[in-house]
Amino acid sequence: AQMKEIESQCYGYFHKAALMRDANALVNLGTCYQRGIGCTADLVLAFRCFKTAADLGHPEATDYVSACYQFGHGVEKDDATSLFWAMRGRAMRGDEAAAKWLKERK
């Protein structure tokens, strides 16, 4: 019972910070939705959190967005879009080849 209470509190704190567009909180909230930690599991809400964090420039979130598209979790499966987000994350981390790949596709 104590663990459920802690999970619920964590979810609440992440949710409050996510409303302020904190990218780290959005990733954590997405993980809560993905795994049902402190809330009911919801892959669509998890994807939305990850996507918002990625749009805010969070590199780890781009990996989650890529995985969501790869496996069809909360969004329609799309290998091309999965690759785009994977490369975007690599470019954000300084991978010059990934940055070049993205630039060629604009």
Side-chain angles (χ1 to χ4, degrees):
Q2 187 179 6
M3 190 61 177
K4 287 283 185 200
E5 197 174 309
I6 291 169
E7 289 177 355
S8 183
Q9 285 180 339
C10 289
Y11 166 83
Y13 291 131
F14 294 147
H15 190 269
K16 285 179 185 175
L19 291 173
M20 293 183 267
R21 297 180 61 77
D22 178 284
N24 287 320
L26 282 157
V27 169
N28 290 330
L29 185 61
T31 301
C32 287
Y33 283 128
Q34 188 178 47
R35 299 180 184 170
I37 298 171
C39 62
T40 300
D42 187 325
L43 294 180
V44 172
L45 288 176
F47 172 77
R48 288 181 188 162
C49 290
F50 296 144
K51 175 76 167 57
T52 301
D55 289 340
L56 290 170
H58 195 291
E60 185 181 350
T62 63
D63 298 337
Y64 290 124
V65 171
S66 175
C68 287
Y69 278 111
Q70 182 181 0
F71 299 108
H73 291 173
V75 68
E76 192 171 327
K77 188 176 178 349
D78 185 329
D79 290 335
T81 304
S82 174
L83 177 60
F84 168 83
W85 282 98
M87 295 301 270
R88 185 170 173 195
R90 291 175 65 171
M92 290 169 91
R93 292 177 177 97
D95 184 321
E96 291 179 22
K100 182 181 178 200
W101 184 90
L102 286 169
K103 190 175 182 180
E104 290 171 353
R105 276 145 189 84
K106 284 191 176 179

